[in-house]
Amino acid sequence: MNVWQIDFTLEGALGTPLRSNTLWGHLCWAVRHRDGEGALERWLTAQEREPLLLSDAFPRGWLPRPLLAPSPLAELPPAPTERLVRASRLKKLKRRAWLTAGDFAALQQGMSEARLLERWEACSKPDLEGTVTKRRARNSIDRRTGRTPDDGGLYFQDEVWYPGAGPHLWGFACAENLTASELEDLLNAVGRSGYGRDASTGRGRFRAAVREDSTGLFRHRGNRWMTLSRGTLSPGMRRPRYRLETHYGRLGGERAAAGSPFKHPLLLVASGSTFAGDGGPHGELLRGVHPTLEDVRENALHLCLPFTEVEP
């Protein structure tokens, strides 16, 4: 499997996180705007045979923490003060949602919850830092009057900033019907026009560089897989451990003004979920996700990392 690494350099804040299924939808629009409706139809037909697998984008050098079998309770020191300190430390470690690619590589051939916690305790590495979340106050508009309501209507939305120079996020992709340069061109077209919410005001602008994967993480053979994407739970995903997220998708571009912009809500498995099974592909390229438009699709396929989970 030929896997590419994507480095994202953000040129502003993100109003919408870079998720695999939403980014795939933006790529469809990039194909249509660049090459026309016929090219998009050919793109979608090719996706049925040889789909583009995309990961979510993560802070560069980090991966989602895999969902593993719960470990037995750790042995605590007999002294009350030491017992309290270690219990508090373990509690903080168990809350972590991310691990470095180096930690994943070190444990890839023998992963367990207990080994992961032991490594974190021994290395004393800090948790993920460097992101800044800002909350913006908004007010809804009454479409009958064009004014804000007299009572209520105030709500808040978060946007994420990644300070510092150089690539801020990374992700991964796998495709048989695209070259790395073609994918890079499409991603940069998305980055120039803006991704996600509030793109018209400068949110979601980025530059992307696509190259061969340099981590070596995808070359391992294991007994389980960790998804790096948001997708459906398909029959080949055996003995899964997963978190579910509800995706409220919308149409973009001209389609948003041609009727209802809202897709059906979808219940998707989040990145970091794990399962047993073969190499896939897992998940689905969904149809019937819009109430009236039959040609609308949703990429709910998974790009997965292999690893070996051992008994806790």
Side-chain angles (χ1 to χ4, degrees):
M1 180 173 62
N2 187 32
V3 179
W4 299 317
Q5 182 176 315
I6 308 169
D7 294 317
F8 295 95
T9 302
L10 302 182
E11 297 179 336
L14 287 176
T16 301
L18 280 166
R19 304 298 192 200
S20 58
N21 55 333
T22 307
L23 185 58
W24 183 86
H26 279 66
L27 292 175
C28 290
W29 276 108
V31 170
R32 184 184 184 279
H33 289 154
R34 188 186 66 180
D35 301 321
E37 187 70 34
L40 176 58
E41 292 176 2
R42 292 190 295 273
W43 159 279
L44 292 174
T45 300
Q47 293 291 301
E48 297 283 357
R49 300 189 306 269
E50 297 175 336
L52 169 63
L53 303 181
L54 285 171
S55 77
D56 293 351
F58 312 111
R60 195 166 189 271
W62 294 78
L63 295 169
R65 176 179 177 171
L67 285 173
L68 304 168
S71 61
L73 292 176
E75 196 171 314
L76 299 177
T81 302
E82 294 178 4
R83 175 186 293 263
L84 183 62
V85 169
R86 182 151 194 263
S88 177
R89 178 168 174 74
L90 286 172
K91 187 176 181 180
K92 289 181 180 178
L93 292 177
K94 288 184 177 182
R95 288 183 184 146
R96 289 189 177 183
W98 303 92
L99 79 166
T100 65
D103 284 343
F104 191 96
L107 299 172
Q108 194 169 15
Q109 298 184 37
M111 185 91 67
S112 73
E113 187 79 2
R115 289 186 179 185
L116 180 58
L117 293 175
E118 285 173 9
R119 180 174 178 83
W120 280 341
E121 274 200 293
C123 295
S124 300
K125 291 182 180 178
D127 201 358
L128 176 64
E129 297 176 349
T131 63
V132 178
T133 301
K134 296 184 179 180
R135 176 153 290 191
R136 304 293 186 188
R138 302 291 183 90
N139 208 337
S140 56
I141 301 294
D142 188 329
R143 296 187 182 277
R144 296 169 297 178
T145 63
R147 302 175 62 182
T148 58
D150 293 331
D151 297 314
L154 185 67
Y155 65 97
F156 296 88
Q157 288 184 322
D158 291 337
E159 57 186 36
V160 181
W161 295 78
Y162 292 83
H168 303 93
L169 303 172
W170 70 346
F172 303 91
C174 177
E176 300 297 332
N177 59 351
L178 277 178
T179 66
S181 61
E182 288 172 335
L183 178 59
E184 184 174 287
D185 288 345
L186 289 173
L187 285 168
N188 281 309
V190 174
R192 285 191 298 270
S193 62
Y195 165 91
R197 173 173 59 83
D198 292 338
S200 61
T201 60
R203 303 296 183 265
R205 305 297 171 94
F206 60 79
R207 288 177 283 112
V210 181
R211 57 191 172 92
E212 290 290 329
D213 170 50
S214 61
T215 66
L217 295 174
F218 293 87
R219 293 196 290 267
H220 177 74
R221 292 183 178 273
N223 58 12
R224 289 185 72 80
W225 300 85
M226 177 178 77
T227 179
L228 301 177
S229 315
R230 291 204 302 177
T232 55
L233 189 65
S234 55
M237 300 166 70
R238 303 192 301 271
R239 302 193 302 280
R241 301 187 190 101
Y242 55 89
R243 293 189 185 94
L244 292 174
E245 294 181 355
T246 306
H247 174 64
Y248 298 97
R250 291 188 178 189
L251 296 178
E254 302 90 272
R255 287 293 188 93
S260 172
F262 301 105
K263 300 178 186 178
H264 294 304
L266 299 174
L267 200 58
L268 301 178
V269 171
S271 59
S273 300
T274 63
F275 60 92
D278 57 24
H282 299 284
E284 300 171 81
L285 186 60
L286 296 173
R287 296 172 176 266
V289 296
H290 189 272
T292 58
L293 301 174
E294 296 182 0
D295 60 338
V296 176
R297 313 284 177 82
E298 187 80 25
N299 187 331
L301 291 158
H302 298 278
L303 179 58
C304 303
L305 266 181
F307 69 98
T308 299
E309 185 172 5
V310 295
E311 293 293 326

